[in-house]
Amino acid sequence: ELLKKYKYDELMIEITRKCNLQCEHCLRGDSQNITMSKDVIDRIFEDAADCKQILLTGGEPLLALDEIEYFVDRILKSDWTTSNLAMTVNGTIRDKRLIDIANKFCKSKVICSLYKRQRKRKLSLKGGTKLCRIKRS
């Protein structure tokens, strides 16, 4: 019997539980040495027919760049109509591979949240073509 594949407007996927910080305000709890396997990523594409928007979270997603790149490659090879791929990161990891991955997708957005002395600032980078420069006060 064939299982029905569902189309989603939005999926939030925790790609890793690893994190390089221990923020008091974190709602995810303590970090764990767990990252989504490529087999699990493949299963998402087997079980879902489409998804318009995807949010990759963690832990710190940038600690799983290989898996993120694999996920983006799977989106591009699929029939999915994904128009928005977003990641929520803590802004402490700078890796040029992220720009390469974002340029593959050409529609990515990176949001960095900086926490210092109980203040929150957000910096948004759209298009995936420039590195995020963060000025601390």
Side-chain angles (χ1 to χ4, degrees), residues 6-50:
Y6 291 95
K7 293 183 178 184
Y8 297 94
D9 288 330
E10 185 173 11
L11 285 175
M12 182 184 296
I13 299 170
E14 189 176 53
I15 195 110
T16 187
R17 292 282 303 140
K18 294 178 184 178
C19 189
N20 58 334
L21 299 179
Q22 295 177 342
C23 301
E24 290 178 15
H25 63 273
C26 184
L27 301 175
R28 300 281 186 198
D30 294 334
S31 67
Q32 297 170 301
N33 192 19
I34 300 171
T35 298
M36 185 177 285
S37 70
K38 291 178 180 178
D39 289 338
V40 172
I41 294 169
D42 289 339
R43 183 68 188 262
I44 292 169
F45 287 88
E46 290 169 15
D47 293 346
D50 194 9

